[in-house]
Amino acid sequence: MNQKKAKKSINFIIITIILILFMIPFFVLVINTFKTTAEFTTAPFSLPTSFKLDNYILAIKRMDFFNTLKNTAIITVLAVALNTLVATMTGYLFARKQWKLNKIIFMAFLASMVAPFQVYMIPLVKIYGGTFGMSNNLLLVSIIAAGLNIPFAVFLYHGFIKGIPEELDEAARIDGCNFARTYFNIILPLLKPIIITVVVFVALGTWNDYLMSSLFLTKMETRTLAIATQTFLSNHTAEYAPMMAGLLLGIIPVLAFYLIGQKYIIEGVVAGSVKG
């Protein structure tokens, strides 16, 4: 018993130390939002001499915060909704229809997870931004964001659905449900844990995206929060303290969303990767 208690105590201490190490950058970010840029550059790890909100006021004004927040929210919500609809349907089709073509496409999905966005960002910009002239279109950015996350989402949904007994599908067919009705009425409600897991991942990635958004959203009125933080940087100067305030303002909404859905993440990832 004493050995078990000692093990638990050691594990608790190790986990606490790791947590503190991971939280240090966040605490540094928070305390530096109350400093001037001069104070930040000279003593980034010291506590601020006063807790003024000047940096937050400047960040809200300079970033056009509420407009960029709206743009970011629109892109994220549309990307999550589209990704969820397409990926759950695709995962269900791959899990239940054992066609040779399905297996080939599924393997192609898995292979595409290896390629980074930088591999095909130039063709995307040339086709959609150049040929079709669809730059500064929030819907386009949402569709691309959803599409980039579909392979990973399909992988998780496929694995999770494989763990759902096929007898439920057979019972639904006996009751007169076709393939589509079985998906919407029987399968989709059972996917809640894995859907929340994928939604958290897709939402976090889309909300924090800078590279793709900066390629397509070049006008001031279509900027996202990630792009707007660039306003504090110029060729010769950098306003670090207001920029950190802007970063913190952009983190708060998605952090709250993550904290709400975090309990489903481990459950969903394990179910999606192991059951398959």
Side-chain angles (χ1 to χ4, degrees):
M1 290 295 291
N2 291 332
Q3 287 183 346
K4 286 184 178 180
K5 286 183 178 179
K7 266 189 176 182
K8 286 183 179 179
S9 299
I10 292 170
N11 289 338
F12 177 77
I13 292 170
I14 292 172
I15 292 171
T16 304
I17 292 171
I18 293 172
L19 175 64
I20 292 170
L21 290 174
F22 273 94
M23 290 301 294
I24 285 174
F26 182 74
F27 288 133
V28 172
L29 171 68
V30 173
I31 63 175
N32 281 295
T33 61
F34 299 102
K35 299 178 183 178
T36 63
T37 297
E39 288 175 331
F40 165 74
T41 53
T42 54
F45 297 103
S46 65
L47 291 173
T49 54
S50 61
F51 290 87
K52 295 181 180 179
L53 300 178
D54 296 350
N55 289 328
Y56 291 95
I57 296 170
L58 178 59
I60 290 172
K61 183 179 179 181
R62 187 82 64 81
M63 293 170 62
D64 191 10
F65 178 76
F66 295 105
N67 182 56
T68 53
L69 176 66
K70 179 198 72 177
N71 293 338
T72 309
I74 289 172
I75 291 171
T76 302
V77 170
L78 289 176
V80 166
L82 184 60
N83 179 275
T84 302
L85 181 64
V86 175
T88 52
M89 287 181 172
T90 307
Y92 179 53
L93 182 67
F94 287 163
R96 290 297 190 252
K97 301 294 184 181
Q98 303 300 319
W99 302 330
K100 287 185 179 180
L101 182 61
N102 274 2
K103 292 180 181 178
I104 294 171
I105 297 174
F106 182 65
M107 293 306 296
F109 268 76
L110 297 184
S112 68
M113 291 168 59
V114 180
F117 174 69
Q118 288 81 353
V119 172
Y120 36 81
M121 68 179 183
I122 294 175
L124 283 174
V125 173
K126 275 187 166 293
I127 293 170
Y128 294 106
T131 305
F132 295 106
M134 297 179 67
S135 295
N136 297 297
N137 189 312
L138 299 183
L139 179 60
L140 172 66
V141 176
S142 302
I143 292 171
I144 294 174
L148 292 174
N149 287 285
I150 279 178
F152 176 68
V154 168
F155 169 69
L156 291 182
Y157 289 133
H158 173 268
F160 193 92
I161 293 169
K162 291 284 282 186
I164 298 175
E166 292 191 34
E167 287 77 9
L168 292 175
D169 299 61
E170 294 171 4
R173 282 195 294 270
I174 292 171
D175 289 339
C177 291
N178 57 23
F179 192 75
R181 281 191 63 192
T182 302
Y183 160 76
F184 283 107
N185 296 342
I186 307 297
I187 302 300
L188 191 59
L190 298 176
L191 299 181
K192 180 182 175 182
I194 191 67
I195 285 177
I196 294 177
T197 300
V198 175
V199 163
V200 169
F201 278 111
V202 175
L204 285 173
T206 305
W207 187 278
N208 295 319
D209 173 72
Y210 174 83
L211 179 57
M212 183 188 66
S213 300
S214 65
L215 293 173
F216 289 99
L217 305 176
T218 56
K219 290 183 179 179
M220 295 286 287
E221 59 268 22
T222 60
R223 292 183 307 175
T224 60
L225 287 169
I227 301 172
T229 55
Q230 197 178 18
T231 58
F232 298 104
L233 301 174
S234 66
N235 293 332
H236 305 289
T237 60
E239 299 175 86
Y240 292 115
M243 182 172 67
M244 289 193 172
L247 290 171
L248 185 59
L249 288 171
I251 289 172
I252 290 172
V254 76
L255 180 62
F257 174 73
Y258 176 79
L259 292 174
I260 293 170
Q262 66 172 332
K263 65 178 181 179
Y264 296 99
I265 292 177
I266 296 176
E267 176 188 349
V269 170
V270 171
S273 57
V274 176
K275 287 183 181 179

